[in-house]
Amino acid sequence: MKSEKEKMMNGELFLPHDPELAAERLQTKLLLEEYNSISVREKERSNQLLQDIVGTMGEKARIGPPFWCDYGYNIHLGDHFFANVNCVMLDEAPIIFGDGVMLGPGVHIYTVNHPMEEAARATLQEYGSPVTIGHNVWVGGGAIINPGIRIEDGAVIASGTVVTKDVSARTLVGGNPAKFIKQLD
């Protein structure tokens, strides 16, 4: 029989209040508590804590505190990644960032989802769908990226946009829900 963590990692329905998963979230929250309160003068310690929180971290990747996530180990930062303050990443499934990605303040990225059927939702199970963001993508402040989204290289997501569908390479999208605005050179 699969553990709840195995189910989560496979994108299957799982119980998030399983003791193993609850312990992992608590450990991450403790690391985030320290990361979010560290002095700006302690760059080396801040960098080490971020490496301890996320799954993988490219060169010169940075996240401005405060930062929030559930597990951390499902987050993979490319080289020269930057996230401004108040970003939230609910990482029940992988969140993969290419190189040169920039997130404005208050960007939320969700991988967690709940069943649509009322009876299934009442079981308190959930499942994750990965989010993949290509190279050199800019996500404006306050944008929300929903589960299962793929944003291709060079795309720009306008501030406040709610992304509910995949975004093509080198396009600008904006609005709620996100709509194509123009092709970028």
Side-chain angles (χ1 to χ4, degrees):
M1 183 171 203
K2 291 182 186 176
S3 71
E4 296 303 312
K5 182 174 181 176
E6 288 171 322
K7 292 177 192 175
M8 180 183 83
M9 299 302 283
N10 289 328
E12 301 169 23
L13 284 173
F14 71 95
L15 290 167
H17 301 296
D18 170 74
E20 177 185 17
L21 293 175
E24 288 182 349
R25 283 192 311 276
L26 175 60
Q27 180 60 36
T28 301
K29 299 299 181 216
L30 292 171
L31 288 170
L32 287 167
E33 182 178 277
E34 185 176 354
Y35 181 77
N36 289 333
S37 64
I38 200 161
S39 170
V40 295
R41 291 182 284 277
E42 296 183 63
K43 287 185 183 191
E44 203 170 295
R45 178 66 183 138
S46 179
N47 192 51
Q48 182 58 54
L49 280 168
L50 186 57
Q51 287 180 28
D52 292 344
I53 292 166
V54 301
T56 58
M57 186 169 139
E59 290 184 35
K60 298 184 180 179
R62 296 179 297 136
I63 297 178
F67 163 60
W68 310 102
C69 64
D70 284 336
Y71 297 95
Y73 54 72
N74 278 324
I75 299 171
H76 303 281
L77 310 176
D79 293 340
H80 303 279
F81 170 88
F82 176 71
N84 213 316
V85 299
N86 286 320
C87 286
V88 174
M89 299 180 198
L90 302 184
D91 62 316
E92 279 67 13
I95 301 174
I96 300 168
F97 296 97
D99 298 336
V101 172
M102 297 185 300
L103 305 181
V107 169
H108 287 205
I109 301 172
Y110 309 139
T111 67
V112 65
N113 222 330
H114 303 277
M116 291 294 125
E117 304 80 27
E118 184 179 358
R121 210 169 38 253
T123 68
L124 303 180
Q125 293 183 87
E126 54 191 43
Y127 64 96
S129 299
V131 169
T132 303
I133 298 176
H135 301 297
N136 302 311
V137 170
W138 176 22
V139 181
I144 296 172
I145 300 170
N146 281 287
I149 297 298
R150 179 177 199 81
I151 300 174
E152 295 181 1
D153 295 351
V156 175
I157 312 301
S159 295
T161 296
V162 178
V163 181
T164 60
K165 294 181 182 173
D166 291 352
V167 177
S168 297
R170 288 170 282 294
T171 58
L172 169 63
V173 300
N176 181 5
K179 292 190 182 347
F180 174 84
I181 296 173
K182 70 177 185 175
Q183 191 69 39
L184 303 171
D185 294 333

